[in-house]
Structure formats: structure tokens, C-alpha cells
Amino acid sequence: MSVPHPYAARLAALPVRRHETEVLGSVTAWWEYGSADSTTTILAVHGFRGDHHGLEPIVAFVPGVRFVVPDLPGFGATPPMPGTVHDLEAYAQWLRAFAAAVAPGATILGHSFGSIVASAAVASGLAAPRLILINPIGAPALEGPRGVLTRLAVFYYRAGAALPARWGEALLRNRLIVRAMSASMAKTKDPDLRRFVHDQHDRYFSGFADRDVLHDAFVASVSHDVRAFAPKIHIPTLLVAADRDDITPIEAERTLATLFPDASLVEIPDVGHLIHYETPRAAARAVAAFSDPASGA
């Protein structure tokens, strides 16, 4: 049965164009939303196991802005980079190259794992006027409120990589496990919105290329956090954090904001690590005001 998309009408009103660009020996698939003539461009990087679809609800609530949203290498429609360990250094290098080729001078936005990739890229030389981090990973994942679950996830991804290929792939794409992950992150009590969240994860959470790239990206996601890069980022930075995030507690996000030379923090109540699905309007309002104070969401 089809699950209604609560933001479909807004998305349908936006021009959307699919593109492909060769970057570091691989062809990156990316989507362009809004007018190509907009004076503001935001290059948005999705989170772990997702693809560009995950950021569409936020895009839908930011009018007048051109969004460039790629699928990370090894996820969605973008194949892995050949002969590459997909660690954080590789993803940061890819983002620097992609931005130079497609959206030089764009504001950079990253969600969750994308917040680490975006921060690492900016700290290592990606020129951007502003940086936006949504649900930023502001502390070690193993130390978060659900550190035990993160350790279980470590075992899960290790098992997926170590088992015979057929069994490992089946484990990593198991729909019951994907649903359990989705249920653990969702905070909304709205049954329709919960169905939408689960449907999005069912559709896109297993769109990774293979178990090797998935394992590499997972290791990168739990081995790094934004704190290491914050002092090196000297452009205006916006953190959009959730007060019920089980991966980085709000207290850690408040501390993270103090590590940047120039950062502001917007806290969204009653939501966890799925700001982009559950409260995209609130996130978009913060993004629009930060990107262009004259705009609204």
C-alpha cells in the first residue's frame, strides 16, 4: 500500500533536474532543485545509508534557493569511487572536488554523517561562504545516550562484512532490522508521519552499492565527529540540533557550538535524529534565515 508523502505538494511545485558529473573516477548523480538563476546555492550532503531523497523535505520548505543534492559515492545512484577505501578523508576529498565542479562558492549543508563530511571538507580547504549542520555529530557516537545500541550496530556491520557475501548482504539489507533502526530514531507520535518515516527508510536505507562501502562509511561515521574540525572552520556556521537526539545529546551540541569561531545554534524541541523528516519546516526556517535573512520558509 502506498504511503502518502506529507511534503509531496511542496516538492511538486519545485523544478527538479537530475544530473551526472564525473568526480574522482566515478560518476556522481545529483539533483538540482529550484531556479538555476537563484542568487543562493546550497550544496547539501545526506547522512549515512541515505541518499538525496532524505533532504527533500527540508528543500521543499526553503523557497527561492537553488539546492544541489548529490548521492554520496556508494549510495543511491552514485557508484563507489574505484580502488578507494571510503573513509572520511576520501569523502572529504570527493566533496571538495564535486563542489569545485558543480557548485563553486555554494553554502555547504550536511546532515548527520553528512555533517562530518561537510566539516572535514571545509576544514581542509573547501571554500564556502557559510556552513549549515543539521543533527550534527557533535560527540563520539559510542558515548551517546544509546551507546549500547551503537555498539550493537558495530557488531552488526562487522558481521555483515565478515559473513559470506550472500549472507552478509542479506543481513545488511534485512527489512526487519531496517525497521528496527527506523523505529529507534523516530520520535513523532503522529501515526501518519511515522508511517512516512518508515516508508522512506524501507525505500532508501538499503540503496548502498555493496557491503564493503557500507562498512567503510559506517566506520568513518563512528570514528569521527565534528568537534575535531570546528576550531578550523572560520566561516559563519549554523547548527540545527534536536533536543531528543539519541546520537548526540543536546548538551553536547551546545558545547560543540562553542568550539567554532563563529557559530549559532538553533534547537528544535520534541524531535530526535530525524529533523529532516519530522520537523523539516522548522529546520528550513532556520536555514533560510541563516542563508538569506530577507527570505522566509
Side-chain angles (χ1 to χ4, degrees), residues 72-214:
L72 282 168
F75 295 89
T78 300
M81 294 175 282
T84 301
V85 175
H86 286 66
D87 56 14
L88 181 58
E89 182 178 352
Y91 277 119
Q93 181 185 11
W94 164 83
L95 181 56
R96 292 194 302 269
F98 177 78
V102 170
T107 290
I108 305 299
L109 180 154
H111 171 257
S112 189
F113 177 53
S115 75
I116 306 176
V117 174
S119 297
V122 171
S124 60
L126 172 55
R130 294 170 182 262
L131 175 65
I132 301 167
L133 306 177
I134 298 175
N135 285 124
I137 308 300
L142 294 174
E143 297 176 9
R146 294 199 175 186
V148 171
L149 289 181
T150 304
R151 288 177 173 82
L152 287 174
V154 170
F155 174 78
Y156 167 69
Y157 286 106
R158 282 179 180 169
L163 287 169
R166 180 180 176 183
W167 295 354
E169 290 277 347
L171 176 67
L172 294 169
R173 301 182 195 274
N174 183 277
R175 291 178 65 87
L176 291 178
I177 295 175
V178 169
R179 177 57 58 89
M181 293 178 186
S182 184
S184 72
M185 290 187 288
K187 301 300 182 186
T188 180
K189 297 185 184 303
D190 181 330
D192 292 332
L193 187 54
R194 287 185 73 90
R195 278 192 289 271
F196 166 71
V197 168
H198 296 332
D199 180 65
Q200 291 290 291
H201 287 140
D202 287 348
R203 288 173 180 265
Y204 306 120
F205 222 49
S206 295
F208 54 89
D210 57 54
R211 63 181 184 162
D212 293 330
V213 72
L214 183 66

Side-chain angles (χ1 to χ4, degrees), residues 15 17 32-39 41 66:
R17 298 163 293 279
E32 183 181 21
Y33 301 83
S35 172
D37 298 326
S38 174
T39 58
T41 296
R66 172 182 177 246

